[in-house]
Amino acid sequence: MREKILYLLGLAAFVILARDIYLIARLPPEAAQGYAFKIIFFHVPSWVGAGASVATALVASVLFLITKNFIFDAAAVASTEVGVAFLSAGMVTGSLWARPIWGIWWTWDERLTTTLVLWLLYVGYLMLRHAIEEPTQRATFAAVVSIFAFIGVPIDYFSIRWWRTQHPSPVFFSSTGSFPSDWGAIMGWNILAYLLLAAVFVAVRLEQEQAQRELDSLRRLAHSF
Amino acid sequence: MGQTTIAEAPSSVQPATRARPSLWHQVFIIIAKDLRAELRTKEAVNAALAFAIMILTLFSFAFDPAEDETKMYAGGLLWIVFAFAGTLVLNRSFARELPNDCLDALIAAPISGAVLFLGKALANYLLVMAVELVALPVFGIFYYAKWYSHFWDMMLVLALGTWAITVIGTIFSALTVNIRLREVMLPLLTYPMLVPALMASMQLTVDLVNGKSVGTDAIWLKVLASFDILYTAASLALVEIVLVG
């Protein structure tokens, strides 16, 4: 039953994505940026997906520290891994856009830099997990690192407003952007599709983590005889 | 002398009636213990200082110190040196307690984790600060940098930036002390965490070396101060979990 729901959600995500890609392909080029602007329909949803994933990781980490229930640890590692994937997608799509528009793949402005730093932090989190054998200690330390890493997220988000940067001003939730409403609808659907995708990925990884834990405990049991 | 009766005797020898030292006194005891242990061998401080001077030398090959342009990087170089050298001190902070199970004894001691953390962080702070205060004039000589033109501004940046390195370094030193690849994991976790603080310190130091006051980029001073406050609070809140589990 649970698997069927997952497949269904994944299918829904792909259907929405296919429809959006069809619509986006038919959009006219934008006045200043030509066709390159269309990457924004994949760039922004990547960040929403990444933000949702690392926020989930934070909540799961805090819940683990409070309850010591390993399901939250599994949720934390699952959503962090998905978060790193979406962060990578966000940086790659941004880079693909920057090449034709800015003429460079990468610039060391504050927002790009802090994003890269966040990526490094969450990769560090995943590496730390590999370095600790004992499950309780691994889960506890990883949760602490996750909380520390998340403190960097608001610094990242607000840096674009605090400092003048090369990154374009925010289009959404600010007065500086102008985004036609029918484009906004496509963007909304794409964000939904990305979020669904993230949820499905997290759920699949969660199941794998739990299976891994079960396997480990069975192995320990077998050794004890 | 013969007046002491058997009934009175226990009350005069009972150690339980001795008042527990106040929180700050407990912190002070940890600081004194750590400094004493370090100053007897001076292994971490000497290593960090030698390391700092070595990196300063190596940087002179990467950037020509005589060129005016180098003044724009000099502040950055300085903080990279401080972060690298500081890690050597911080790595030893909890690792030093591993032989003879001293760490278990410290955790079992009747003090809170926050007190232990604060004591260790302040001891590390003094040690890292000492290394930096020796390395700073050496940097000034090697790179022709007038770091003393706004002396107290420089000390303020040094104090705030070093606290950032120390507080993050100490909590992660506690976290990585028992795990595999400790020497690799500590910098891997602390350097990305430190980036906003290092960026701020570097920017402010570049200003100071070029004769401006810290007021020129006050936003970075705020970033540095907020970083210190945020991560000190987070560390104090989470250290018990890191130490005890």
Side-chain angles (χ1 to χ4, degrees):
Chain A
M1 184 60 197
R2 208 173 132 184
E3 280 187 3
K4 272 183 190 156
I5 294 174
L6 275 185
Y7 285 134
L8 224 60
L9 284 176
L11 192 68
F14 276 112
V15 168
I16 299 172
L17 268 179
R19 174 186 165 274
D20 285 347
I21 289 171
Y22 173 72
L23 288 176
I24 292 163
R26 283 159 50 104
L27 283 180
E30 200 250 1
Q33 300 185 1
Y35 288 104
F37 90 96
K38 293 184 181 181
I39 293 175
I40 198 175
F41 289 107
F42 303 95
H43 183 62
V44 172
S46 300
W47 295 126
V48 177
S53 304
V54 297
T56 311
L58 173 79
V59 172
S61 299
V62 171
L63 284 176
F64 173 78
L65 288 183
I66 295 169
T67 63
K68 299 280 170 194
N69 186 341
F70 275 90
I71 186 142
F72 293 119
D73 179 53
V77 62
S79 47
T80 304
E81 280 182 6
V82 174
V84 168
F86 275 78
L87 279 175
S88 311
M91 286 199 287
V92 169
T93 50
S95 199
L96 289 174
W97 174 87
R99 177 67 186 144
I101 303 299
W102 289 343
I104 41 175
W105 295 104
W106 181 266
T107 174
W108 289 101
D109 95 321
E110 282 87 349
R111 196 169 206 199
L112 273 73
T113 312
T114 23
T115 309
L116 180 61
V117 170
L118 278 182
W119 186 85
L120 282 171
L121 279 172
Y122 284 109
V123 168
Y125 166 96
L126 295 176
M127 291 193 66
L128 176 78
R129 295 189 67 96
H130 284 291
I132 309 175
E133 308 274 324
E134 208 275 306
T136 313
Q137 197 181 40
R138 178 173 57 213
T140 310
F141 285 8
V144 171
V145 172
S146 188
I147 293 170
F148 267 82
F150 195 82
I151 299 177
V153 173
I155 301 178
D156 177 42
Y157 186 74
F158 286 111
S159 62
I160 195 171
R161 278 145 208 219
W162 285 349
W163 296 299
R164 198 171 19 169
T165 69
Q166 194 169 0
H167 190 280
S169 308
V171 177
F172 305 101
F173 313 113
S174 85
S175 53
T176 52
S178 61
F179 210 68
S181 60
D182 53 331
W183 295 10
I186 301 176
M187 180 66 87
W189 279 106
N190 238 19
I191 289 175
L192 178 71
Y194 268 60
L195 284 176
L196 277 177
L197 218 54
V200 172
F201 286 159
V202 169
V204 170
R205 279 292 292 125
L206 189 64
E207 244 163 68
Q208 289 175 344
E209 277 295 312
Q210 280 174 303
Q212 182 68 47
R213 258 186 67 73
E214 220 165 294
L215 210 61
D216 284 346
S217 67
L218 281 176
R219 203 170 275 150
R220 267 198 300 278
L221 197 67
H223 277 299
S224 64
F225 283 120
Chain B
M1 294 312 255
Q3 285 170 346
T4 311
T5 64
I6 293 167
E8 280 170 33
S11 66
S12 58
V13 274
Q14 236 174 28
T17 55
R18 224 175 71 190
R20 277 265 290 283
S22 72
L23 281 185
W24 284 109
H25 190 196
Q26 294 173 11
V27 172
F28 178 77
I29 291 171
I30 300 286
I31 299 175
K33 171 200 87 65
D34 264 29
L35 288 182
R36 204 180 305 127
E38 173 57 33
L39 293 179
R40 276 185 188 154
T41 61
K42 301 184 193 68
E43 52 176 17
V45 169
N46 280 344
L49 198 58
F51 189 66
I53 293 171
M54 190 202 67
I55 309 180
L56 281 173
T57 312
L58 284 182
F59 274 149
S60 78
F61 299 117
F63 309 99
D64 184 356
E67 273 184 37
D68 273 353
E69 218 176 288
T70 306
K71 279 217 171 80
M72 299 311 294
Y73 315 131
L77 300 185
L78 186 67
W79 281 97
I80 293 176
V81 170
F82 287 170
F84 283 7
T87 307
L88 290 186
V89 174
L90 295 160
N91 218 337
R92 294 292 305 149
S93 175
F94 277 85
R96 190 191 293 125
E97 311 287 359
L98 283 183
N100 305 323
D101 295 325
C102 293
L103 187 56
D104 292 336
L106 275 176
I107 293 170
I111 54 171
S112 75
V115 165
L116 179 58
F117 170 78
L118 215 55
K120 280 210 162 280
L122 287 168
N124 291 336
Y125 186 65
L126 292 175
L127 292 173
V128 176
M129 203 67 168
V131 171
E132 290 179 356
L133 285 175
V134 177
L136 190 61
V138 176
F139 160 79
I141 293 168
F142 280 6
Y143 288 84
Y144 318 112
K146 290 202 183 72
W147 57 273
Y148 41 80
S149 58
H150 290 85
F151 184 81
W152 292 111
D153 285 8
M154 187 71 215
M155 288 302 118
L156 176 69
V157 174
L158 205 63
L160 290 175
T162 308
W163 180 250
I165 294 176
T166 314
V167 74
I168 296 280
T170 307
I171 187 87
F172 282 100
S173 173
L175 204 140
T176 53
V177 64
N178 274 318
I179 67 173
R180 273 190 296 137
L181 306 170
R182 179 197 337 132
E183 282 83 3
V184 186
M185 286 313 294
L186 182 66
L188 197 73
L189 292 169
T190 51
Y191 291 154
M193 204 79 76
L194 277 172
V195 161
L198 286 180
M199 269 165 53
S201 307
M202 286 171 178
Q203 184 63 49
L204 291 165
T205 308
V206 167
D207 284 350
L208 289 171
V209 168
N210 287 294
K212 299 178 208 156
S213 73
V214 286
T216 335
D217 277 313
I219 179 83
W220 290 108
L221 204 59
K222 285 179 196 160
V223 169
L224 195 52
S226 344
F227 184 96
D228 283 354
I229 293 168
L230 267 176
Y231 280 102
T232 306
S235 301
L236 286 174
L238 293 172
V239 68
E240 196 79 43
I241 294 167
V242 171
L243 289 173
V244 186

